[in-house]
Amino acid sequence: MNAQTFKPKKLQKPKQILCVITFLLATTYNCATSLFPVKTSIEKKETIAVFVNLVEAKPALTYKATRSIASKNIAEFDEFFPMFKQLAQKELPSVKFLEPKTTPQEILGQTVYTYDFGKTGAKIGIEFIPATTYMLSNESEYTSEKLKKQSFEQTTKIVIRFREINGERLGKYIGSRLGYELASVTINGSCDEECPKNINAMMALSNPGKLAPALKAQIPENLKKVIQEILASKED
């Protein structure tokens, strides 16, 4: 196979997500409900559990009907969660943010994670997700120089979602099931001839960790906006 070269085109500003009703298992929809339960927990100075969704944090690549999941997370993004906790504590000093113990388990060849919410005493949880996705074009194209290229779109979003905690289990979503965006960067690029169809190879080629500074710069201001939305919320 010929050596591949990565050619980024440009950074794109993230597009705002419209509230689209999409039924999941005929019961769960994506339109936002009130964040008032989170506001209530903050006003009562209750403990709030904060944790990383380690499944959705793994980068993924989609090509036609196939999906490739990375074997590991992006190391440069590991600093985002401690940064988020520190900023949240600074903005809400009366609240105790506690990270539950996380235990990996192998079920049917897949790694799943359990969280010990019971020991946190929290009624509200904040799910932190640094998600990176690659979408490859279905077909390769020829440039004006008659060179074969395959284009791709690489998107990284840092999102938080709010969940009820019922004892030791996560309950329903609070607010938007899609979550609240703290940072987002999208790159359009191309590969000589064809892009790797394996996510680990694609990550090695495109080096997504280099986006860390651009993402990090967005988090403080966007977190403030989310907190303002929480504090302004009213009961349904």
Side-chain angles (χ1 to χ4, degrees):
M1 180 180 291
N2 295 332
Q4 303 286 336
T5 58
F6 164 67
K7 297 184 178 180
K9 292 181 180 177
K10 61 179 179 178
L11 294 178
Q12 291 185 335
K13 292 182 179 179
K15 298 177 181 178
Q16 292 203 358
I17 299 175
L18 296 177
C19 183
V20 179
I21 299 178
T22 305
F23 284 91
L24 178 64
L25 300 179
T27 57
T28 304
Y29 53 88
N30 289 331
C31 285
T33 59
S34 175
L35 287 167
F36 188 76
V38 183
K39 177 183 178 180
T40 300
S41 186
I42 291 172
E43 290 177 340
K44 290 181 177 180
K45 301 180 181 180
E46 296 176 340
T47 297
I48 293 179
V50 289
F51 61 102
V52 179
N53 184 319
L54 294 169
V55 173
E56 292 187 47
K58 290 189 181 298
L61 179 149
T62 300
Y63 175 66
K64 294 185 178 179
T66 63
R67 184 172 173 85
S68 174
I69 307 296
S71 58
K72 58 182 180 180
N73 296 336
I74 299 168
E76 291 85 349
F77 295 175
D78 289 345
E79 66 175 318
F80 295 153
F81 182 58
M83 176 186 178
F84 162 72
K85 289 194 297 180
Q86 185 178 21
L87 289 170
Q89 191 67 75
K90 182 180 178 181
E91 293 293 326
L92 299 168
S94 64
V95 176
K96 183 178 181 180
F97 294 94
L98 193 61
E99 185 178 355
K101 181 181 178 182
T102 305
T103 305
Q105 293 181 325
E106 293 293 326
I107 299 178
L108 298 177
Q110 299 291 325
T111 301
V112 297
Y113 300 89
T114 58
Y115 303 87
D116 190 356
F117 292 113
K119 291 184 179 179
T120 67
K123 299 177 182 177
I124 302 293
I126 302 178
E127 198 173 8
F128 185 87
I129 309 164
T132 296
T133 58
Y134 290 84
M135 297 285 293
L136 303 187
S137 61
N138 290 341
E139 303 295 339
S140 297
E141 300 176 353
Y142 286 91
T143 67
S144 57
E145 294 84 11
K146 296 184 179 180
L147 298 175
K148 191 177 183 183
K149 306 283 185 182
Q150 184 176 21
S151 61
F152 67 87
E153 182 178 87
Q154 172 193 335
T155 300
T156 296
K157 291 184 179 182
I158 301 174
V159 175
I160 55 174
R161 293 195 297 234
F162 298 93
R163 305 285 297 270
E164 287 185 354
I165 295 178
N166 301 319
E168 297 183 357
R169 295 180 177 274
L170 284 173
K172 68 180 182 180
Y173 291 92
I174 304 171
S176 172
R177 188 185 182 281
L178 293 174
Y180 298 82
E181 193 173 283
L182 300 184
S184 179
V185 175
T186 296
I187 290 179
N188 286 333
S190 63
C191 308
D192 288 346
E193 296 191 1
E194 293 184 353
C195 295
K197 305 306 183 288
N198 177 275
I199 180 62
N200 296 318
M202 191 64 195
M203 288 169 60
L205 179 67
S206 65
N207 185 22
K210 67 185 179 184
L211 301 179
L215 293 161
K216 184 177 180 180
Q218 300 176 44
I219 296 175
E221 187 62 29
N222 286 329
L223 178 58
K224 287 181 180 179
K225 291 178 180 178
V226 174
I227 291 174
Q228 288 171 0
E229 185 173 347
I230 292 169
L231 298 180
S233 63
K234 297 181 180 181
E235 191 171 7
D236 285 335

